[in-house]
Amino acid sequence: MARNHLRPLFDRVVIKELEPDRMRQSGLLVPPGSHEPPPQHGIVLAVGQGVDWWEAAGVQMPVRPGDHVVFPASAGTWVELDEARLLISRVTELLGVLERVEEPLPDARLGDARGEG
């Protein structure tokens, strides 16, 4: 069975939404009917080539396929393709890229200097 591939044009990106996380770090659960929907996040599947003046200005597409991004509920246009719900959005509508930051290991020498070790 043939599958379709959606190639975004210009400064647009194609995003597959991940399940919205309604649990806050504090442990509070945001109910589905709350007034302000939480920002959504997803995985970038494809990116456009950018806008023609970007190259002359030294601007590059800030996201690439595989990036986890955060976007507002009002971003872009939703389309159904091969039974998948995808968002087509301008890159400027994205709020940010989620990056994993490794926590530094506690340094035993710092504990000794503070009188804790």
Side-chain angles (χ1 to χ4, degrees):
M1 181 173 161
R3 289 190 43 179
N4 292 306
H5 174 74
L6 182 58
R7 181 176 50 92
L9 301 175
F10 305 111
D11 62 340
R12 289 181 171 77
V13 295
V14 176
I15 300 168
K16 180 177 181 184
E17 182 183 29
L18 298 175
E19 184 66 31
D21 186 13
R22 297 194 169 275
M23 183 70 76
R24 301 283 190 230
Q25 284 184 341
S26 65
L28 293 175
L29 182 65
V30 178
S34 64
H35 294 286
E36 184 176 328
Q40 298 165 315
H41 63 283
I43 297 175
V44 175
L45 299 180
V47 298
Q49 71 273 15
V51 182
D52 57 358
W53 63 264
W54 283 10
E55 189 173 331
V59 176
Q60 296 179 354
M61 187 62 85
V63 296
R64 59 182 181 265
D67 281 349
H68 287 240
V69 293
V70 178
F71 53 91
S74 61
T77 301
W78 291 96
V79 296
E80 295 277 335
L81 184 67
D82 293 336
E83 299 181 17
R85 186 169 180 250
L86 304 174
L87 174 69
I88 303 172
S89 170
R90 290 186 182 273
V91 70
T92 53
E93 290 184 273
L94 302 179
L95 300 175
V97 178
L98 294 172
E99 298 175 341
R100 183 168 297 278
V101 178
E102 297 296 327
E103 294 290 326
L105 295 174
D107 191 350
R109 294 175 295 173
L110 292 177
D112 291 339
R114 293 185 299 224
E116 296 176 0

